[in-house]
Every structure is written in structure tokens, then in C-alpha cells.
Amino acid sequence: MTLPFAKVLAGAAALALISLPSAVQAHRQWMLPSSTIVAGDDVWVTVDAAVSNDLFYFEHQPLRLDNIKAWAPDGSEVKIENGSTGRYRSTFDLHLTQKGTYRIANAGGGLMGSYKENGEEKRLPRGTTAATLASALPAGATDVKLSESWSRNEIFVTSGEPSEIKASGKGLELVPITHPNDLVAGEEARFRFVIDGKPAAGLDVTVVPGGIRYRDQLNQMDLKTDAEGVVTMTLPEPGHYWLNVVASDKATSDPRATERRLNYVTTLEVLPL
């Protein structure tokens, strides 16, 4: 007996879901520059920014440009130019007028939580910070429950020779031992991760190569920082890789917050040997 067409579609969909890698079950935010290493006296890069299931593929939503900033090798802030946000991605350009390494980041955080007003539970407004908490909580609020989050999504682009990358001292950050714009397939690379400027030991580091959409294995690398906050990796193939580190501690900006959750994301370009 021939199955109804709807049942055939449902069965096919179920099989497709079973065969998909686990990566499709999590939305990942990322930025992808047109190049991480450029040469010349008048050079630009274009950056795509999105949130997606399949890494470096546009199928979920754009990353908003409001909080993305860039800094030149001398530490001065650089203007983001030609910004545009579409249905699935945002794009912008950066004019590289200095030699050295530029940092492009979407970083920030705030307080999350709930409270009760006249016995009714309510959520804190999005974007609440330690500085605005007093105005966000109504008079007489009770059962206040708070946690803090801080995230950094950043990329590095070098014009000419790479230059030093320094930590800001805020939140979870990467401090290179191997420069992120000097990665070669099959060669060992080492990065130090710090929290508020101090080496962070025992952090879980996840590395996933791009192109998830076109393979049936995630090929994820699960690593951990050592006692000095250093993670050592060998990226096997040329291409773009998504790196993510998460952590939590009690170093909150408001004493009523019980936990601070930290998140770090970067995109690495690995060149052939």
C-alpha cells in the first residue's frame, strides 16, 4: 500500500534530523572577515556577522551592529563603515590605515533575573546593568534573584606584520602566545585565556571547523586550559574555525547576583602549510 504523501514527507524529515550533526541544535554567533591578513597601503576588510546553526552559513538571524567596535594597533577606536543589517546577516567594512593587528569585538554584559511585585513574579528588563539596577527594580520589590553575564565575540585582522594583542582586563579574554593571524594547518598553536586579566585554569575550550552544512560529522575538538590558562591545539586542515570558551564565577558587579557567566567566541583562519 502506498503511504500518503504527507506521511512520506514526515518520514523523510525524521530521517534527515537523525542524520544531522549535533551542531544544528545550537545557534552560534560569529563574525567572519573577508581576510585576516592583508597587505598594501590602502586596504579594507569586509566582515559578515550572524547567528546560525551551520557555521559561517546564513540561515537564522543577523548579529546586530549596535555594539560592535574596532580598535587599531595603537589602541585608538576605528569607525565601522558601510554597515548594513539584512534578514540573515549584517555586514560592515573596516579601513585599515595602520600597520599591525586590529581587534573587532562585540562585547558587553548585564544582569538577568526576576523579582516579585505585589506577589507577581516579573523579569528584569533586557539590558539591565549594575548601574541601572536601582531604576529597574520598583520600590517594594521582593524575592530579587540575580545573575550576571559577560560575553565577548571578537576577531583579529592584521595589515602587514602582526602586533601585540593586550587584554582589556574585563571578563573572559584571549591573550595570544601564538598570534591568531599566524596559524598554519598541522602546526601547534597556543593561546592563554584570562578572566579579568588573570590566567584561567581548567576552562573548557570548544573548536569547530566551518563547513558543518556539508559534512555528517561535527569534527569538534574539546580541549581544556592548563594551570597557566594555556590551551594547546593543532588545527589539522586549512580553513575557518569557530572557537568558544565558557566559564562562571562569583565575581559579580552587584553583591546580590549569585553568579557571573562568561562567554568568549572568536573565528580563526588557518592557512595551508
Side-chain angles (χ1 to χ4, degrees):
M1 182 175 65
T2 303
L3 289 174
F5 185 63
K7 289 186 177 180
V8 173
L9 286 179
L15 288 172
L17 286 173
I18 291 171
S19 66
L20 287 174
S22 60
V24 301
Q25 299 174 17
H27 294 138
R28 295 171 168 86
Q29 61 169 273
W30 47 267
M31 291 189 288
L32 184 69
S34 54
S35 180
T36 57
I37 304 172
V38 295
D41 296 325
D42 184 24
V43 291
W44 294 72
V45 294
T46 295
V47 178
D48 290 322
V51 181
S52 66
N53 292 313
D54 295 333
L55 284 172
F56 315 131
Y57 186 83
F58 317 114
E59 35 75 327
H60 183 56
Q61 66 183 36
L63 193 65
R64 301 296 172 182
L65 299 178
D66 311 48
N67 200 42
I68 296 178
K69 296 182 179 181
W71 294 268
D74 66 1
S76 60
E77 189 170 336
V78 181
K79 180 183 178 183
I80 298 294
E81 301 188 51
N82 305 320
S84 175
T85 297
R87 175 61 183 85
Y88 290 119
R89 67 173 170 179
S90 293
T91 63
F92 60 89
D93 295 330
L94 194 67
H95 193 188
L96 281 59
T97 59
Q98 297 180 23
K99 297 298 183 182
T101 300
Y102 285 71
R103 183 180 216 148
I104 306 165
N106 181 7
L111 293 171
M112 302 175 293
S114 63
Y115 61 91
K116 285 186 178 180
E117 184 180 22
N118 299 323
E120 181 183 356
E121 186 171 83
K122 297 183 178 181
R123 305 293 300 177
L124 279 177
R126 179 173 296 189
T128 299
T129 65
T132 62
L133 179 61
S135 59
L137 286 173
T142 61
D143 296 323
V144 178
K145 299 176 182 178
L146 299 176
S147 65
E148 185 173 2
S149 66
W150 182 268
S151 66
R152 174 178 290 272
N153 176 7
E154 69 181 359
I155 54 175
F156 305 97
V157 176
T158 294
S159 177
E161 292 295 322
S163 57
E164 184 180 7
I165 297 170
K166 298 180 180 179
S168 69
K170 175 65 174 177
L172 176 57
E173 297 180 272
L174 180 153
V175 180
I177 299 173
T178 304
H179 196 283
N181 296 145
D182 192 22
L183 303 177
V184 177
E187 293 188 357
E188 183 178 277
R190 301 174 72 224
F191 301 131
R192 175 174 282 110
F193 288 93
V194 298
I195 295 178
D196 297 337
K198 299 178 181 179
L203 299 186
D204 292 322
V205 180
T206 301
V207 183
V208 182
I212 291 171
R213 183 177 180 85
Y214 307 109
R215 63 177 185 267
D216 58 5
Q217 297 295 322
L218 186 56
N219 295 344
Q220 175 174 312
M221 299 171 63
D222 295 308
L223 309 168
K224 194 175 286 287
T225 60
D226 65 14
E228 299 300 319
V230 176
V231 64
T232 302
M233 65 184 75
T234 300
L235 301 174
E237 301 290 339
H240 291 100
Y241 289 75
W242 182 84
L243 183 149
N244 180 223
V245 186
V246 295
S248 63
D249 60 22
K250 303 294 184 182
T252 59
S253 58
D254 188 284
R256 289 174 290 182
T258 57
E259 181 183 40
R260 181 176 65 159
R261 301 170 187 170
L262 303 160
N263 186 61
Y264 180 87
V265 171
T266 190
T267 300
L268 303 171
E269 183 179 29
V270 177
L271 299 178
L273 183 64

